[in-house]
Every structure is written in structure tokens, then in C-alpha cells.
Amino acid sequence: MAISTRSFTVNGKTYTPPARPVVVICLDGSADEYLDITLAHDRMPNLKQMTLAGYRGMVRGALPSFTNVNNSSIVTGVTPAVHGICGNFFFDTDKQEEVMMNSAAYLRSETILAAAANAGRKVAVVTAKEKLRDILSHKMTGIAFSAEKANQAQEATHGIGNVESVLGLPTPAIYSADASLFVLRAGVALIEKGMADFLYLSLTDYMQHTYAPEDGPSLAFYEAIDHELGRLLAAGAVIGATADHGMNAKQKADGTPNVLYIETMLTEKFGDGFRVICPITDPYVKHHGALGSYVAVHVPENVSEGDVAAWLQAQPGITEVHNRDMAVHLLEQPADRIADLVVLSARDVVVGRTPAHHDLTALDSGLRSHGGRYEEMVPLLISHPLTPAYRSKAGGDPRNFDVFDFTVNGTTLN
Amino acid sequence: MAISTRSFTVNGKTYTPPARPVVVICLDGSADEYLDITLAHDRMPNLKQMTLAGYRGMVRGALPSFTNVNNSSIVTGVTPAVHGICGNFFFDTDKQEEVMMNSAAYLRSETILAAAANAGRKVAVVTAKEKLRDILSHKMTGIAFSAEKANQAQEATHGIGNVESVLGLPTPAIYSADASLFVLRAGVALIEKGMADFLYLSLTDYMQHTYAPEDGPSLAFYEAIDHELGRLLAAGAVIGATADHGMNAKQKADGTPNVLYIETMLTEKFGDGFRVICPITDPYVKHHGALGSYVAVHVPENVSEGDVAAWLQAQPGITEVHNRDMAVHLLEQPADRIADLVVLSARDVVVGRTPAHHDLTALDSGLRSHGGRYEEMVPLLISHPLTPAYRSKAGGDPRNFDVFDFTVNGTTLN
């Protein structure tokens, strides 16, 4: 059956896919330095070829620079203000409960994936972490499963069963390079078997949290990613790749984590009643200990929000403090799901709640993390030449969540 | 005569140079993308070799991300708060005059270059733009001249005369690739002739203001830079290279400049009396029309500074507004040389004064500029392996003005 090229419109943007497999990849945690160093070692020949034949540049991600936020933006093409996912974790004021924000119940926008399926594409979503599957497959007809729980996928609920035998891939450990490589290999297999022609492949950043760009395991990881890019290109795919966020070491000179415990600091200064939410919090303990460079602060009623903001802004290591209105205006946040204040920290600093809230013993190495302004800029790679209009767009202020637009609409394949 | 390895201390840091030529290069306006694309074309083999043998990573520049600010930081190793140079141009409240800030009279710190000369090194400064020469050669015994006025250098005042015949290099046009390449070629010649063993080579960003990273003339320019890096390495130099700032297109979708004229906007909103200073202003009209992503605002006495700040912060395209205290705290500014407010703009937006203050007809292409947060992160390259201590430092929050420290103290040559 021919691949559908029927246009579809979602969240105000029209997509007209080419008659070949479309693959968008979220290279979770891929600060540009990871590509730079591995390329210098001549270990990413396919990425190099994509750069030469297509496009490589930098794009601005959504804030906070976290996984769920940016994956949601990528599959919807809109900001967190529109789609509503502003963290992995938040304080639901309706429920008066701190909850994971990994349910599609919190998603306020249609996805490009669901719309593509409705327009006749065979859509597949493969994500490393199970936590993302529900959001990414929202209202979507097609295949959606995670590397983490690949062996639990069922035809009725995931659009595919017996993944291990059908695709010839064993379910990987989640804290591994294989968790991400599985996602890419599954993508290749789905295309080769004619099971999908419109794919979103979302990796995990365990490797980037654990290794610096020049570390041997990281070089080997990116080389292995590149090998799968080559197989996707050989299968005729047009590929768009970006990242949800960058990654920086967040350590002191002695190698210990560089943490500001914001709830502790505020309680000491202003008294009890503060609630600090770390929206990086997720079920994966070996990545970051729930420490990132962005927290949300609920200020008790008897304390002046302005006083708290001014005091926080003057603390070393804090780079930005915004009240709700400014977080909506400057950071594209949904007003009803953020706290009174949001706080961003420096390139080498993370913000946390209290020492008791963060278990750093599970980390496999020093602390590397993200969430703030210094992990906002990420690479964009497109495998095929951009049209003049999209080349011009790339020269403005393109976003990582324009990646479907660039990949589907932006190349000379159209 | 043997090369001196005597230690020297300046601005609180001790430098112990190796017994070989030390060359620090400021690749003016070199956003990392310029390196990425040229490397993908296999046109920077020496930079690639430096990455493999030494170090390549990202470092944080000084703000505002302008040339004089960052060159001053690089040669002193300290922030603008310490050395006092916070723009190319400012309103001198003592003189009640708007003046260029390119005189060493404004520099408040000793330089590494002068200290190296005092410790017995043969120091040479070569800068593309004459505007930097006075600051960079402050109290320095040695050679200091610009590409722009190479043929006017005199032994008595510049430490070298007859540059064209001594070095075999013609004085280049300032609006050219050659203006920068001359600087590197002069550095090679000075080492080869035994005239210098401790060099600071500061290029100009005419090419980056004029061309995007993937444009043919830019690729050829970086290839030519790489050729000179190879000659410096062949001459036995240890090389540290960084940039003063990055570079972004600042245009609307139709290719016209994306400008907010802040003094015009404030006058319309709050009335007369505002003075907006564009610290990017310099004598070179073809680069940017005095439009960058950072301006300083002097607020008239009858208007509330807080009201102005709040209003500005809410305008689309404005990303940060800080009063004097916060500009000192967050942006490392000298309190007595900035205005009441400083204003930063978005990746694709520049801020100006009034339309009459900016002549854009001289630009050789669309508007590409810098000055704000999105031009803060720049590459750092070191030609030789870093020691474990400096590798650790590179993994923290290193600055572009640590480049002398990394190059002189940080490699296994020491």
C-alpha cells in the first residue's frame, strides 16, 4: 500500500508528509557537545552526512528543560502554555496532591501523531521510558510501546504484541545504553517490516546523566545511535532529530553535588508553610535524584511573595525568579499548573527541596542534570535539504518542537 | 634565549607558563555552529586534532556579550565588575557624555599580558580592530598592533615598525576575512621569527555578522583559520581558543531586522527624558548598525524606575530587565558604569535607541548580531591534554576568560 501523503492540520499547523517514512527522534539529554566530541572521533558518519546533505543547527527548547515538557511540545508542536504539561511532577491544586504529570489526562492538545494516523499514516511511537507512553499515544491509532516494558505490550492496548519476537529485540534494562538503542532499533524494524511509516522515537538520558561527552561509554553510545541513523536512512526515511534538553555537570570543585535546598532555605528565612516542587521528579532514581535547575515554590499566605522573590533572586546560584504572570509570559507556562514562583539556577547548580527529599546514593556517577536556562538550547538535525523557506525559518528562532514541521514540511522532498 | 617559565600573579591568579610559545586566540563572534558546520565539511583538520588531543567544550562568556567586554575579561581573567569595561560605548556620568569605552583609562585591572612581559616573556598582541589595541596593550612591554592599522605601527609606540615588510604581510581591509586572518598570520610570523613567545590574537567578527555558518564564504574563512592553527601548532605553540560572544540572526521572517527601539517605546509610553545607550556601538558601521541584544536605560527622575522595568519586562521580545543592583549581582556589571536599567532581548531580537540612531543601510547582508543571553555560551578549545584538575574545572562552569588559565596552567605540558 502506498504511503499516504494526505495533509492534516493540528494545533493550527498543517502537515503534508512526503511519500516515505518520516522519523522524528528525541535524543533525550543530547547537549550539542555530545555530538561535537563523537563527531570529532569520526564515530558518527551518518550524522555528519545528515549535516552535509541536510541541516544542523541549534534550536530553543521549551522550559523548564525537562523530558515530559519537551516531549509533549514536540508531539503537539506547541508550548507548555498550550499543551499543559509543565513538568514530570506537580502540585495539583484541585486534588491538593503532588502527582506525576505523565497521564494524558493532563494533556490539553491534540498530537501530531494522532492526526497523522487519522490522515492514513501508519504511526508508531517507541519511547524508552514507560512514563511517556500515555501522553505520546494520546487518542492515537497505531503502535505505542516503551523499551522499558516492551515485553508487556499487547496488541489490544499497544497496537503490537510479542514485541521481542516480532521485532527480534529483547527488552532492555532501563538504566542502560540499550534502553535508548532499543528504541531506534525498534524503529528500524517497524519500517523494514512495513508496520509503520510515521514514527516518533524518544530515547532516555540515563547515559548523559551518567557520562560526560568525552567519556568512553558516551562515545560508544553515540556511535551506536549513529549506526541506527544509518539504517533508518537506508530504509528510505526522512529523519528529524532534536533533544528535549541539554545536560550540564552540577557539581562543586570537589565533585560533590552543587545543591541549593530551596524549601530548607525559605523555611529558615521566612518560617514554615512553603511547598517546593521539583518538577524533574520521576520514577527513575539513578538519573538525577530529583535534582534539576528549576523548581516551583508555593508561598504561604502569610508571607509576601515579592519579598520571597527578591530574597531568592539575590542568592548566589539562583539565576531567575519569576512570579506566575512572568512565568506565563516569559517561560510559556500554563498559569493554573505552576506555583506562585518559579526558580531557575546556574549552569553548575541544581535546586532541590530539603536534603531529606533527595536520595543521591542511587546515582551511578557525579551529578549531571538539566531543567534550567543552560539546558535550553539543543541541536536540530534534518536528514534532507531544507527548502529556502525553512532554511530561513532555521535562521530565526526555531524551536525544538518545530521538529515535525521541519521534517514533514521543510525538506525538498515535498 | 630560553623561553621564560617564571610564574607571575595577576588579579589573584598565578600563571606558570610552559617553555614553549603560548597563544591565546579570541575567535570573535564564533558561535559554536560555525565550528560544527565547517568541521562537518572536513575543512578544519587542525581544530579536529586539537579536539582529539586536547579539549573542546562550551564556556560562559561575560555579559553583555560584546567584544570589548569579553576581550577585557580574557586578558585580565576577571569579570566586568572588576575590570570595569562593560561595553564598547557608555554614558560617562562624570563627563555627562556618551563616549567610546576603548581607552585603557577605563580599565581597572592589570592584564595577564603585561604581567607575562614583566615575568620575562616576549609578549605580542595582535588585534584586528584598532579599537581594542589600547586596552589590550595597557602597561605592557612588547609588541601590540592592529591589522586595521598595521602599516602605521611604530617601534617606539607599538614595539614593532615596518610590519608589512618585517612580517611579509600587507595591511588588510577591515571589512574582510583577511582582517582576521592577518592577525593569525602575524602571530605565526612573530613566533617563527623569535619575536614573541606569549601571544594574544584577537580577530574580528565582520564575517560572522555577514554570513551564516553554512554560507560558503564562512566555510572558507574557518578553513583558512584552521590552516593558521596548523602553522601555530607546527611552530610548537600551545593554543587556547575561545570567543568573545556568539552570533544569531536578528531578523523577521521577511528578512528585515527585528528591532525594538527602546528609547522610542519609552518616550511614547512614559514621556521625554529617557537616554538609551547601545553599548555595542563602535566605529565599524558594516557589522551591526549599533544594534545588539542589550541596552542600558537611564530613567528620568520624574518616572518610576520600577514601573519602567515592569513595563519593559512585559514587552514581547524582551527577555530580561534588571536594575542596577541586579545587574551587578547577576550580570557582573560595574555599578558606577551602567545605567538605571539594563535590558536584554531574545535570540532573534535586537534592541536599539530610536530609528534615527541606527543606520542599517551600510550592512553587507541581513542583520546578525549579539549582546544578550543567547550569545553568552561560546566554545573553548585547548590544543593539548588537560590535567585532571583542569578537566574537572572544564566540567563545572568555566568561563571564556579562564582561557589563559587553561592554556598556561591547565595542560599536561606543565
Side-chain angles (χ1 to χ4, degrees), chain B residues 79-164:
Chain B
T79 68
V82 180
H83 64 61
I85 306 293
C86 56
N88 306 335
F89 186 80
F90 85 122
F91 181 65
D92 186 328
T93 48
D94 293 342
K95 295 184 182 169
Q96 287 288 305
E97 241 184 301
E98 296 176 16
V99 293
M100 292 291 173
M101 203 188 280
N102 54 10
S103 159
Y106 292 111
L107 187 68
R108 291 169 170 165
S109 301
E110 304 299 303
T111 75
I112 297 162
L113 302 167
N118 291 339
R121 296 291 290 218
K122 292 185 198 167
V123 179
V125 171
V126 190
T127 164
K129 290 175 176 175
E130 177 68 15
K131 73 169 179 180
L132 273 173
R133 195 177 64 84
D134 193 51
I135 288 175
L136 299 182
S137 65
H138 180 54
K139 293 189 187 171
M140 190 195 95
T141 307
I143 294 169
F145 61 98
S146 70
E148 184 180 2
K149 300 200 172 176
N151 56 5
Q152 297 175 33
Q154 303 288 334
E155 184 71 44
T157 48
H158 298 67
I160 186 171
N162 300 312
V163 165
E164 295 191 344

Side-chain angles (χ1 to χ4, degrees), chain A residues 2 57 123 131 139 184 202 211 242 247 266 334 342 344 368 396 410:
Chain A
V123 179
K131 74 167 178 178
K139 293 189 187 171
L184 296 173
S202 186
Y211 298 105
T242 189
M247 187 72 70
L266 290 174
V342 298
L344 285 76
R368 301 175 56 77

Side-chain angles (χ1 to χ4, degrees), chain B residues 174-188:
Chain B
I174 187 65
Y175 300 118
S176 71
D178 274 343
S180 287
L181 296 173
F182 173 96
V183 173
L184 296 173
R185 290 169 185 150
V188 173

Side-chain angles (χ1 to χ4, degrees), chain A residues 385-396 406 409-412 414, chain B residues 214 253:
Chain A
L386 297 183
T387 62
Y390 278 81
R391 189 161 280 281
S392 170
K393 181 171 179 172
F406 273 88
N409 297 323
T411 78
T412 54
N414 291 78
Chain B
E214 63 272 18

